[in-house]
Amino acid sequence: MTSKRSESGVPPPLAGSSPAVMRARAAFEHAAADAAPVLIVADEGLEPEAIARALHARTRRSERFRVISCTAGDPIDIERQLFGRIARRAADHDVLSTDAALVDAGGGTVFLAGVEELPASAQRRLARVLRDGEVRIGGSRGPVALRARVVAAARPGLDAELRDGAFRADLHRRLATRVIEVPRLRDRPADLPAVIDRVLAAGRSNGSRPVFTQAALTVLSALPWPRNLHDLRTVLERILAVAGDRLIRQEDVLACLPIEGAFARMTSHVSLREARRQFEREYIAQVLEHHSWRMSDAARTLGIERANLYRKTRQLGIVHARGERS
């Protein structure tokens, strides 16, 4: 690829060098420095599990990594996975069985996916366990220290759940000892080349990479990616199925677009030239709107001269929101 190669070991959601992702990486490094619980805040398709696994690899590689989906299955089953089959208390400590994820993980990691959906009774018990840092296991005489690290993932908007009382404030406070906020792809288009590089690196054991032209990367960086890496992976699979390992050009990318929700679907009978024109019009209009129609700023983002941008808007029929043709 033409982009600078990302650091080895960085999961795709944290690849890039934008200020937002650099803040997320700094939070990741901070979390890797101790054993405190971690809350990963990530929109749909931003693969928080990949971040949790990278954190586990940095800090507890030789231990177990247990995953519990809080959004799938019966609430009783979710609680049983987390705490085991013993559901009682002794003195001031919860009694967990050896099959509980918090025990079975040993000194490893318990990853809670979609923690905002954790059942209320499980929220209460987990908040207490994290508060005490101790549990009783089966018929043991006394409490033992909790060795497993809890890493949880939630969608943005957990504040609303807290205000409504649907998520316990004491559990949030203990999980949010370390917080990693993952920025959406559409909010950091400059990171797309690095993200693509990491996605392709993870999927190819021989180390080979297809090469994208700058024009191809510009097209990919312009898309809003409503489901983030899920959509990006889908499009990359389509492109590689057609282009293989040869140089990937703008027309190769355009032939595999649009993805659902990105742009209005182009009619299938138009020529590649017309499809390129439609995309160029959409993209330039989007950049102009982003810069509030400041032509110099938009031209700088597009990498063209201001006079060329004026000419492009006339050729493509791009009209200002107030109805003025630029």
Side-chain angles (χ1 to χ4, degrees):
M1 291 182 62
T2 55
S3 62
K4 183 180 179 180
R5 196 156 177 165
S6 302
E7 291 181 24
S8 175
V10 173
L14 297 184
S17 56
S18 66
V21 85
M22 292 301 287
R23 287 193 294 272
R25 285 233 294 278
F28 176 90
E29 294 296 333
H30 194 194
D34 59 34
V38 181
L39 179 62
I40 302 171
V41 181
D43 205 353
E44 180 183 5
L46 280 173
E47 302 179 357
E49 184 176 334
I51 297 171
R53 286 187 180 277
L55 188 61
H56 176 82
R58 285 277 298 273
T59 58
R60 297 160 185 251
R61 181 184 294 274
S62 62
E63 301 283 355
R64 296 198 66 184
F65 184 90
R66 289 289 305 270
V67 179
I68 296 178
S69 173
C70 302
T71 62
D74 180 78
I76 295 176
D77 183 57
I78 292 171
E79 189 163 358
R80 186 173 293 158
Q81 289 180 60
L82 189 54
F83 302 103
R85 296 186 178 277
I86 299 176
R88 62 184 177 85
R89 297 185 66 199
D92 292 326
H93 296 94
D94 267 87
V95 180
L96 279 58
S97 54
T98 55
D99 62 334
L102 289 169
V103 176
D104 180 62
T109 301
V110 176
F111 175 64
L112 303 177
V115 72
E116 67 271 21
E117 299 294 332
L118 190 67
S121 59
Q123 288 186 37
R124 183 173 59 253
R125 293 185 71 183
L126 183 58
R128 189 166 57 236
V129 167
L130 292 178
R131 179 198 68 193
D132 297 339
E134 295 180 329
V135 296
R136 287 188 60 177
I137 301 174
S140 62
R141 292 191 174 186
V144 296
L146 178 69
R147 296 175 56 223
R149 184 182 206 178
V150 176
V151 178
R155 298 276 186 87
L158 191 57
D159 287 347
E161 302 281 339
L162 287 165
R163 285 194 301 270
D164 295 342
F167 197 83
R168 293 180 65 93
D170 56 347
L171 177 56
H172 178 264
R173 184 171 61 253
R174 299 188 189 287
L175 289 175
T177 304
R178 302 284 180 264
V179 179
I180 302 172
E181 295 188 18
V182 188
R184 299 173 299 185
L185 295 187
R186 64 177 171 271
D187 295 334
R188 47 183 178 120
D191 288 340
L192 255 291
V195 173
I196 292 169
D197 188 70
R198 291 303 305 147
V199 168
L200 296 178
R204 299 198 166 207
S205 57
N206 61 5
S208 65
R209 306 275 210 293
V211 177
F212 288 72
T213 65
Q214 187 57 52
L217 290 173
T218 298
V219 171
L220 290 168
S221 298
L223 296 172
W225 306 113
R227 292 185 295 172
N228 295 288
L229 279 157
H230 175 85
D231 286 338
L232 177 61
R233 289 183 188 277
T234 299
V235 170
L236 289 177
E237 287 172 5
R238 292 176 186 170
I239 293 170
L240 297 181
V242 174
D245 287 333
R246 66 175 172 80
L247 182 68
I248 296 173
R249 304 180 184 277
Q250 184 185 60
E251 49 265 36
D252 299 316
V253 174
L254 290 170
C256 297
L257 296 180
I259 58 175
E260 266 185 47
F263 295 107
R265 189 171 292 277
M266 297 178 186
T267 55
S268 57
H269 63 271
V270 301
S271 66
L272 183 59
R273 182 177 180 180
E274 179 58 27
R276 188 183 297 115
R277 175 185 170 86
Q278 288 182 36
F279 172 80
E280 192 173 22
R281 187 181 190 282
E282 292 276 1
Y283 180 48
I284 291 175
Q286 177 184 322
V287 172
L288 284 165
E289 288 292 336
H290 176 74
H291 288 291
S292 302
W293 287 77
R294 295 188 298 273
M295 301 298 282
S296 295
D297 293 341
R300 192 175 303 111
T301 296
L302 292 165
I304 61 177
E305 295 294 330
R306 189 168 180 267
N308 290 340
L309 178 55
Y310 274 108
R311 185 173 67 254
K312 281 282 188 184
T313 57
R314 289 194 297 271
Q315 290 173 345
L316 297 170
I318 299 173
V319 180
H320 193 285
R322 294 196 300 267
E324 301 170 359
R325 188 182 300 274
S326 296

